[in-house]
Amino acid sequence: MISLPHFLAVGALLFTLGLVTVATRRNAVGVLMGVELILNGANVNFVAFARYVDVGVTGQVFALFVIVLAAAEAAVGLAIVLAIFQTFKTIDVRAADLLRE
């Protein structure tokens, strides 16, 4: 039978893979994919705790808010990536360092 630690392990694995992806990718799209993995790892934990701990539907509500946040983050993030690409003709995140000057 699948229990709470199984779901927590999957959530931790997704979160860790997302952190590694964000830390190692230079491609802006790859970084956005890593952020999505981090948010999905958190969603797995929210829903698992809501299922196995009697707290009502708060886990599902938090997961729904995170999904809405992820959709907004994807839209804004892709708009920023497109603006960087139009300016620098690359999607390398190190090129955005020039925006500070």
Side-chain angles (χ1 to χ4, degrees):
M1 180 169 166
I2 298 176
S3 60
L4 181 61
H6 293 96
F7 286 107
L8 296 180
V10 170
L13 180 67
L14 283 172
F15 192 87
T16 303
L17 288 174
L19 281 178
V20 169
T21 303
V22 168
T24 60
R25 297 288 180 213
R26 293 189 325 205
N27 186 338
V29 176
V31 171
L32 289 175
M33 288 172 51
V35 171
E36 294 293 331
L37 280 174
I38 291 171
L39 293 174
N40 284 328
N43 276 344
V44 168
N45 286 337
F46 284 144
V47 174
F49 276 118
R51 167 67 176 93
Y52 288 100
V53 180
D54 291 330
V55 293
V57 295
T58 55
Q60 285 90 350
V61 171
F62 280 133
L64 183 63
F65 282 132
V66 170
I67 291 170
V68 170
L69 176 74
E73 173 263 330
V76 171
L78 287 175
I80 292 170
V81 168
L82 286 174
I84 290 173
F85 181 75
Q86 286 178 349
T87 304
F88 298 107
K89 302 299 184 231
T90 183
I91 55 174
D92 188 359
V93 291
R94 290 185 297 167
D97 187 29
L98 299 173
L99 293 176
R100 286 191 277 169
E101 296 175 356

